[in-house]
Amino acid sequence: MKKILLTLTLIFAFIGANAQCTPDPQYTNAGIYPDSSVGMPAAIVGQAYSEVITIITPIDTNVIFSGLPINVDIIDIALDSVNGLPANFTYDCAAPNCVFLGGSTTCAVLYSTINPTAADVGLYQIFMYTTTAADAGQVFGIQYQQDVIDYYYIDIIGNSTSTMNQFNNF
């Protein structure tokens, strides 16, 4: 009985540990944060990496079709895959199956499973493949659009140590 309880406790702890993140409340506009102008913080050799990514999915958008604006409701945006991550880096989404519902605010975590080593030093371009499902009304119905988000990078840098010299007055 104790083994069963211990096993269940470990399973629930593992499930609960995945994608534990809180969206950053300073962001209120639709988008991915940190945005491309800020980028991802650098990873440092020998140190665990973890970055919370806030995702605010728009509820709708406008598209131009034959010169006319059409209001389109966003059903969801699915993160299909992520390529280009450094070795031993992965991600986990708070949203089930990495499907972000229109009008929702949620998050994902990008993290290292093993601390980066000197062999990992370099700049890595990340490619996020998404599929957006949108309702374009009675005329066009539900439409799907695939996109690639390719403007994020992770830079793994060597660990830098600093020393502070202390001078004693004798």
Side-chain angles (χ1 to χ4, degrees):
M1 182 68 167
K2 287 183 182 180
K3 287 183 182 181
I4 292 172
L5 289 175
L6 178 61
T7 302
L8 287 174
T9 302
L10 291 174
I11 288 170
F12 287 124
F14 176 75
I15 290 170
N18 286 332
Q20 283 192 356
C21 58
T22 302
D24 191 330
Q26 74 175 319
Y27 303 115
T28 57
N29 294 327
I32 303 170
Y33 302 96
D35 65 17
S36 60
S37 67
V38 174
M40 300 290 176
I44 300 172
V45 167
Q47 295 182 17
Y49 185 88
S50 181
E51 176 66 14
V52 173
I53 301 166
T54 298
I55 300 136
I56 303 175
T57 310
I59 196 163
D60 62 7
T61 189
N62 288 308
V63 296
I64 304 298
F65 180 76
S66 296
L68 299 172
I70 299 173
N71 189 48
V72 177
D73 294 328
I74 304 297
I75 298 169
D76 60 46
I77 300 175
L79 178 60
D80 300 321
S81 65
V82 177
N83 294 338
L85 291 173
N88 302 312
F89 275 59
T90 191
Y91 65 96
D92 203 2
C93 302
N97 300 317
C98 289
V99 176
F100 309 102
L101 300 177
S104 69
T105 298
T106 187
C107 56
V109 179
L110 178 64
Y111 62 95
S112 60
T113 56
I114 297 173
N115 294 351
T117 67
D120 299 319
V121 169
L123 187 63
Y124 297 84
Q125 184 176 12
I126 304 169
F127 297 89
M128 295 177 264
Y129 297 89
T130 64
T131 301
T132 301
D135 186 352
Q138 293 178 338
V139 175
F140 298 104
I142 296 177
Q143 300 290 310
Y144 297 91
Q145 177 176 317
Q146 294 182 323
D147 292 296
V148 178
I149 300 169
D150 62 357
Y151 43 80
Y152 284 99
Y153 294 82
I154 293 180
D155 192 10
I156 298 178
I157 58 176
N159 59 358
S160 58
T161 58
S162 62
T163 58
M164 180 183 291
N165 292 326
Q166 181 176 353
F167 296 97
N168 293 326
N169 291 336
F170 291 99

